[in-house]
Each structure stands twice: as structure tokens, then as C-alpha cells.
Amino acid sequence: MRKGQILLIGGVVFFSFGILGQSPAFSEGALDVGKGIYEKRCGVCHGHDGKADNGAQEFLYPKPRDLTAGKFKIRSTPSGSLPTNEDLLKTIANGIAGTSMPSWRSIPEKERRALVEYIKSFDERFKTQPRKPIPIGPPPPRTPEIMAKGKQLYQDAGCNDCHGTTGQGDGPSAGTLKDDWGNLITPYDFTKGGRYKAGSSVRDIYRTFTTGMAGTPMPSYADSLAEDQRWALAYYVQSLSKQPTGPAPKEEATVTSKFIKGDLSAPDPASPIWKRAPAVDILLRPLWFKEGYVDQVRVRSLHNGKEIAFLLEWEDPTKNTDLQKLEAFRDAAALQFPTKADGVPSFPMGETGQVVNIWQWKADWEANGRGPVENLAAARFSTLTTQLSQDVKGKGIWREGKWRVAFSRPMAGGEETAKFAPGKVVPVAFAVWNGAISQQDGEKSVSTWSFLKIETPGR
Ligand code: HEC
Ligand code: HEC
């Protein structure tokens, strides 16, 4: 992708370092650079002044952190200390698993460092140095003895009280736990691997219960458990889940819309035509955490110069298509596009004033024989209006624990809708609702903005 294209599609939001480096703000110091990025990328959730009180929090759980409270879960420093710059840098690069906090690795490191300086400026406490990171030596070898010791300690140290005897996060205290802001908080489910907020290696887990997680009931065991006991626990806890295999899904991915000669006007998820489109696995984050949220979607796209089509595939063990039953919710999925090339909102569905175009497929509409895709416009968290021409077609098939849903639309869209043309790069985001866990409206899994690169015929 050429740099000019990045500028064109990203406008103010997806600027690259080169562009920023030329701006006068850069020479005025890191704080100004940090402020600029913060307001575009972070303020939507953490608030203009870091206090996380601008209203968006109502739609998010876990809640975005009040960055003025001096409470950080992910640290290398002892209980009661602030995090180091490196800790904050790591959090910003990784995002926070199982929450809406995205990974910002695509922001160049120098700018992320400026961002760290800026968020520290919200809190006077950062004028003093944090305490030194807790030294962590190399892990001892994993032996049957250490595993047995870890298993015993898990009960003896009372981990089971919150995390449950089998580690599923369902101990006797689990339902009553709250964080320092009074919000209910669930102890980690050790049987679901790969969702550790502070990292999943044995070293990471060791560090987490050595430091504790500030602002939560998860205590520090630095004083009550010896080093060898903590290693034993780390090994044991890690062994309760399978380590994720295969490549991790991407955040801020590029999906190529492949040019083909062929009809795309009647989208069919079962068509062999999809084999010609490269698949990209995209990470989804829960806006409102509930066990069973969909955590990734596989995306493909094709176009023939006149129509553009998408295939979305995701795992969902239960098919929810019937809203007639009491307390029933539908499965659904959506694509989102900004309506102006230079107006990408900071987070999908996250900013007032900037309109996005949403194509929402609904399993119950499909089951009832209606056109299953609604073409919508949205301007902020959980505001949707249908006002557009209903020219998006779709078809979904559920088989063996998996939804496959195809969408298509003429490339030249109407007003207030996404525009596509060969050679263009268009931002796109994805959302999935799982009816089985009562997700609807703003309760869903979402991606951050990815890019759709529309192939030029003949290349
Ligand atoms: C879509 C909402 C959203 C956006 C955008 C967002 N965050 Fe967050 N952030 C969260 C949530 C939610 C949490 C709390 C997660 C938790 O407590 O488990 C969080 C937590 C944090 C924390 C605390 C980490 C800790 O150790 O406890 C920091 C620091 C942070 N965010 C920085 C940023 C920065 C910097 C940006 C912009 C580059 C940003 N966030 C953008 C949702 C967001
Ligand atoms: C008083 C309740 C409580 C006890 C006791 C407790 N935990 Fe936790 N633990 C929590 C909560 C709540 C969280 C989730 C924090 C969050 O998501 O912000 C958590 C999270 C964790 C995590 C996940 C960290 C991550 O990166 O997401 C690990 C690992 C962990 N606990 C280990 C332990 C071990 C080992 C013990 C026993 C030595 C223990 N906990 C005892 C409440 C508890």
C-alpha cells in the first residue's frame, strides 16, 4: 500500500508517523503528540481528561479505566505501586484480552511513548517514580512434583474460593466480587486459555499473582507465598487450559477484495467461488463481556467490478433464529463502513457526529424468509436508524457449529452509504451477536477498523 493511500483512507485517524513528523505539533514536544493521539484514539472510551466519564462507559463492560485513579492491573511493580513506562507501553501494544480495549501496536513506538507521557499527565502521582519491577528469575523446570504441589497449593492458598475448585471462575465468592468502582467482576476462568489480561506464559502468570491486580479483588501473593510455591501455582493454573494453537487472529488487518469474472448478485455462502478469495481471521472483542462471546471472524471478499460480496464465518455452537420463544435472542452479524473517505470514527460505532454505514444480517429474518440484511446508518454507540435503500442482499447457513453468511451489494452505493471502486482502500469493521448468551444491540463482539483493498482487474 502506498503512503498516499494511507493518508487518503485514514484521514486524521490512521495517520502514519511520517505525516505526523511533519506536523508542527511534533516539535512542540511529546506531550502534544501524545495528546493528539489520545484524543483521536483513546478519549472515546477513557474520556477527554482520562476520567472515563463521557457516557460511552454505559455501553462497555468491563468499564474503561479511570486513568486518574492510579490503579493499574498490568504491572511489573509491587502491589501499591504505579506501573513503569514499559508496563504501560506493553498494555497499549497488546490491548487487554476479553475486554473492549484494543491493541494499538499499529501506532509507531515513538508515538506510543508520547502517549504514555500524556496519560501519565492525568495523574499527579506519576510525578514520583514507580517502585522497581519485581525481579523474576528463570522458571524452574516443569516436573510432576511441581504440578502436584501447585494443585495442592491452589486449594491451600484459597484460589478456589474465587476461581473455583476446577478453575472455572465459579468459586463460592465468585458471584459477589466487585472492583474498586463497585462493578461486578468475574474471577478468571482458567479453563479458557489465551484470555489472560497480563499475559499467558508461566512467567506472566507468576508475575500477575505476585503483583496482584490493582482495583480488583485479585490479591498480591508476594508476601504470603514463597517463590517456589508461586512457580508451582503458575504451572498448575496454566495447565488447566489448552494453549492456543495456530496463528492468532489479526487486529487492524487488510482484507483483499479479489476481482473475479462472475455473477455476485445472489450471495451464496456455499458457493465454491469463495475458494478464490483469501481468508483473513479477524479478532473480535466484547463490548460487554459475557462468557460465550464470539472472539474471531473469518472474512473473505470478492468483486466483479459491478457488485462487491463478503463472506463471514464464525463458530457458534447454537443456532438462534427464533425470536418467538420467551427470552429469545437472535444470532446476527454486521459489516461497518465509514461513509466519508476522510471521516473514519475513532472506534467502530464509537464517536458522535460521524456516520457509519452498517449492513446487519439477522438470523431470524433469514428464517422468516425476509431479506435478511438491514442497511443502516449509525452515529454513536447503540444508535441505529434505517433510512437507506435496502440494496444489500445476504444469505446465512448454519452447519456443524458454524455460521457462514454471505453479503453482496452494487459497488456504487446510494447517499450515506459506503462507496467501493477498484483500486480503492476502504476501512471496514465487523460485529457478531450471539443469541445464545442474550446479546443484542450494543452487547456484541466487535473488531477495530481493518482495511478492504479492492483489487484492480487484470492485476
Ligand atoms: C473501546 C474502548 C477503549 C479504547 C478506544 C481504549 N481503551 Fe483503554 N481500556 C478500555 C477498557 C475497557 C479498559 C479496562 C479493562 C479492564 O479493566 O479489564 C482499559 C484499560 C486501559 C488501561 C489500564 C491498564 C491496566 O493496567 O489496568 C490503560 C493504560 C489504557 N486502557 C490505555 C488506553 C490508551 C492509551 C488508549 C488509546 C490508544 C486506549 N486505552 C483506548 C477500553 C478502551
Ligand atoms: C478474592 C478473590 C480472588 C482470589 C482469592 C484469587 N483471585 Fe485470582 N482473580 C480474581 C479476579 C476477580 C480476577 C479477575 C481480574 C480482572 O479480570 O480484572 C482474577 C484473575 C486472576 C488471574 C488472571 C490474570 C490475567 O492476566 O487476566 C490469575 C492468573 C489469577 N487470578 C490467579 C490466582 C491464583 C493463582 C490465586 C490463588 C493464589 C488467586 N488468583 C486468588 C479474584 C481472586
Coordinates of all heavy atoms in Angstrom, one line a residue, residues 130-164:
P130 N 7.7 5.2 39.9 CA 7.1 3.9 40.4 C 8.2 3.1 41.1 O 9.4 3.4 40.9 CB 6.6 3.2 39.1 CG 7.5 3.8 38.0 CD 7.8 5.2 38.4
R131 N 7.8 2.1 41.9 CA 8.8 1.3 42.5 C 9.5 0.3 41.5 O 8.9 0.2 40.4 CB 8.2 0.5 43.7 CG 8.0 1.4 44.9 CD 7.0 0.9 45.9 NE 7.5 -0.3 46.5 CZ 6.8 -1.2 47.2 NH1 5.5 -1.0 47.3 NH2 7.3 -2.2 47.8
K132 N 10.6 -0.2 41.8 CA 11.3 -1.1 40.9 C 10.5 -2.3 40.5 O 9.9 -2.9 41.4 CB 12.7 -1.5 41.5 CG 13.7 -0.4 41.5 CD 15.1 -1.0 41.1 CE 16.1 0.1 40.8 NZ 16.2 1.1 42.0
P133 N 10.6 -2.8 39.3 CA 9.9 -4.1 39.0 C 10.4 -5.2 39.9 O 11.6 -5.3 40.3 CB 10.4 -4.3 37.5 CG 10.7 -3.0 37.0 CD 11.3 -2.2 38.1
I134 N 9.5 -6.1 40.2 CA 9.8 -7.3 41.0 C 10.7 -8.2 40.2 O 10.4 -8.5 39.0 CB 8.5 -8.1 41.3 CG1 7.6 -7.2 42.2 CG2 8.8 -9.4 41.9 CD1 6.3 -7.8 42.5
P135 N 11.9 -8.5 40.7 CA 12.8 -9.4 39.9 C 12.2 -10.8 39.8 O 11.6 -11.3 40.7 CB 14.1 -9.4 40.8 CG 13.7 -9.0 42.1 CD 12.4 -8.2 42.1
I136 N 12.2 -11.3 38.5 CA 11.7 -12.6 38.3 C 12.8 -13.4 37.6 O 13.3 -13.1 36.5 CB 10.5 -12.6 37.3 CG1 9.4 -11.7 37.9 CG2 10.0 -14.0 37.1 CD1 8.1 -11.6 37.1
G137 N 13.2 -14.5 38.3 CA 14.3 -15.4 37.8 C 13.7 -16.3 36.7 O 12.6 -16.2 36.4
P138 N 14.6 -17.2 36.2 CA 14.1 -18.2 35.2 C 13.2 -19.2 35.9 O 13.4 -19.5 37.1 CB 15.4 -18.8 34.7 CG 16.4 -18.6 35.8 CD 16.0 -17.3 36.5
P139 N 12.1 -19.6 35.2 CA 11.2 -20.6 35.8 C 11.9 -21.9 36.1 O 12.8 -22.3 35.3 CB 10.1 -20.8 34.7 CG 10.4 -19.8 33.6 CD 11.7 -19.2 33.8
P140 N 11.6 -22.6 37.2 CA 12.1 -23.9 37.4 C 11.6 -24.9 36.4 O 10.6 -24.6 35.8 CB 11.7 -24.2 38.8 CG 10.4 -23.4 39.0 CD 10.6 -22.2 38.2
P141 N 12.2 -26.0 36.2 CA 11.7 -27.0 35.2 C 10.3 -27.5 35.6 O 10.0 -27.6 36.8 CB 12.7 -28.1 35.2 CG 13.7 -27.9 36.3 CD 13.4 -26.5 36.8
R142 N 9.5 -27.8 34.6 CA 8.1 -28.3 34.9 C 8.2 -29.8 35.1 O 8.5 -30.6 34.2 CB 7.3 -28.0 33.6 CG 5.9 -28.5 33.8 CD 5.1 -28.3 32.5 NE 3.9 -29.1 32.5 CZ 2.7 -28.7 32.1 NH1 2.6 -27.5 31.5 NH2 1.7 -29.5 32.2
T143 N 8.0 -30.2 36.4 CA 8.1 -31.6 36.8 C 6.8 -32.1 37.3 O 5.9 -31.3 37.7 CB 9.2 -31.8 37.9 OG1 8.8 -31.0 39.0 CG2 10.5 -31.4 37.4
P144 N 6.5 -33.4 37.4 CA 5.3 -33.9 38.0 C 5.2 -33.5 39.4 O 4.1 -33.2 39.9 CB 5.4 -35.5 38.0 CG 6.4 -35.7 36.9 CD 7.3 -34.5 36.8
E145 N 6.3 -33.3 40.2 CA 6.3 -32.9 41.5 C 5.7 -31.5 41.6 O 4.9 -31.1 42.5 CB 7.7 -32.9 42.2 CG 8.2 -34.3 42.4 CD 8.7 -35.0 41.1 OE1 9.3 -34.3 40.3 OE2 8.4 -36.2 40.9
I146 N 6.3 -30.6 40.8 CA 5.9 -29.2 40.9 C 4.4 -29.0 40.5 O 3.7 -28.2 41.1 CB 6.8 -28.3 40.0 CG1 6.8 -26.9 40.6 CG2 6.4 -28.2 38.6 CD1 7.9 -26.0 39.9
M147 N 3.9 -29.9 39.6 CA 2.5 -29.8 39.2 C 1.6 -30.2 40.4 O 0.6 -29.6 40.7 CB 2.2 -30.7 38.0 CG 2.9 -30.3 36.8 SD 2.6 -28.6 36.2 CE 1.0 -28.8 35.6
A148 N 2.0 -31.3 41.1 CA 1.2 -31.8 42.2 C 1.2 -30.8 43.3 O 0.2 -30.5 44.0 CB 1.8 -33.1 42.7
K149 N 2.4 -30.1 43.5 CA 2.5 -29.1 44.6 C 1.6 -27.9 44.2 O 0.9 -27.4 45.1 CB 3.9 -28.6 44.6 CG 4.3 -27.7 45.7 CD 5.8 -27.6 45.9 CE 6.2 -26.2 46.3 NZ 7.7 -26.1 46.1
G150 N 1.5 -27.5 43.0 CA 0.7 -26.4 42.5 C -0.8 -26.7 42.8 O -1.6 -25.9 43.2
K151 N -1.2 -28.0 42.5 CA -2.6 -28.4 42.6 C -3.0 -28.3 44.1 O -4.1 -27.8 44.4 CB -2.7 -29.8 42.1 CG -4.1 -30.3 42.1 CD -4.3 -31.6 41.4 CE -5.8 -32.0 41.3 NZ -6.0 -33.3 40.7
Q152 N -2.1 -28.8 45.0 CA -2.4 -28.7 46.4 C -2.5 -27.3 46.9 O -3.4 -26.9 47.6 CB -1.3 -29.5 47.2 CG -1.5 -29.6 48.7 CD -2.8 -30.4 48.9 OE1 -3.1 -31.4 48.3 NE2 -3.6 -29.9 49.9
L153 N -1.5 -26.4 46.5 CA -1.5 -25.0 46.9 C -2.7 -24.3 46.4 O -3.2 -23.3 47.1 CB -0.2 -24.3 46.3 CG 1.0 -24.4 47.1 CD1 2.2 -24.0 46.2 CD2 0.9 -23.6 48.4
Y154 N -3.2 -24.6 45.3 CA -4.4 -23.9 44.7 C -5.5 -24.0 45.7 O -6.2 -23.0 45.9 CB -4.8 -24.6 43.4 CG -5.9 -24.0 42.7 CD1 -5.7 -22.8 41.9 CD2 -7.2 -24.5 42.8 CE1 -6.8 -22.3 41.2 CE2 -8.3 -23.9 42.1 CZ -8.1 -22.8 41.4 OH -9.1 -22.2 40.7
Q155 N -5.7 -25.1 46.4 CA -6.7 -25.2 47.4 C -6.2 -24.6 48.7 O -6.9 -23.8 49.3 CB -7.1 -26.7 47.7 CG -7.3 -27.6 46.5 CD -8.5 -27.2 45.7 OE1 -9.5 -26.6 46.2 NE2 -8.5 -27.5 44.4
D156 N -5.0 -24.9 49.1 CA -4.5 -24.4 50.4 C -4.4 -22.9 50.5 O -4.7 -22.3 51.5 CB -3.1 -24.9 50.7 CG -3.1 -26.4 50.9 OD1 -4.2 -27.0 51.0 OD2 -2.0 -27.1 50.9
A157 N -4.1 -22.2 49.3 CA -3.9 -20.8 49.4 C -5.3 -20.1 49.1 O -5.4 -18.8 49.1 CB -2.9 -20.3 48.3
G158 N -6.3 -20.8 48.9 CA -7.7 -20.2 48.7 C -8.0 -19.7 47.3 O -9.0 -18.9 47.2
C159 N -7.2 -20.1 46.3 CA -7.5 -19.6 45.0 C -8.9 -20.1 44.6 O -9.7 -19.5 43.9 CB -6.5 -20.2 44.0 SG -4.8 -20.0 44.4
N160 N -9.2 -21.4 45.0 CA -10.5 -22.0 44.7 C -11.7 -21.2 45.2 O -12.8 -21.3 44.7 CB -10.6 -23.4 45.2 CG -10.3 -23.5 46.7 OD1 -9.7 -22.6 47.3 ND2 -10.9 -24.5 47.4
D161 N -11.5 -20.4 46.3 CA -12.6 -19.6 46.8 C -13.2 -18.7 45.8 O -14.4 -18.5 45.7 CB -12.1 -18.8 48.0 CG -13.2 -18.2 48.8 OD1 -14.3 -18.8 48.9 OD2 -13.1 -17.0 49.2
C162 N -12.4 -18.1 45.0 CA -12.9 -17.3 43.9 C -12.9 -18.0 42.5 O -13.8 -17.9 41.8 CB -12.0 -16.0 43.8 SG -12.2 -14.9 45.2
H163 N -11.8 -18.7 42.2 CA -11.6 -19.2 40.9 C -12.3 -20.6 40.7 O -12.3 -21.1 39.6 CB -10.1 -19.3 40.5 CG -9.5 -18.0 40.3 ND1 -9.6 -17.3 39.2 CD2 -8.7 -17.2 41.1 CE1 -9.0 -16.1 39.3 NE2 -8.4 -16.1 40.5
G164 N -12.8 -21.2 41.8 CA -13.5 -22.5 41.7 C -12.6 -23.6 41.8 O -11.4 -23.6 41.4

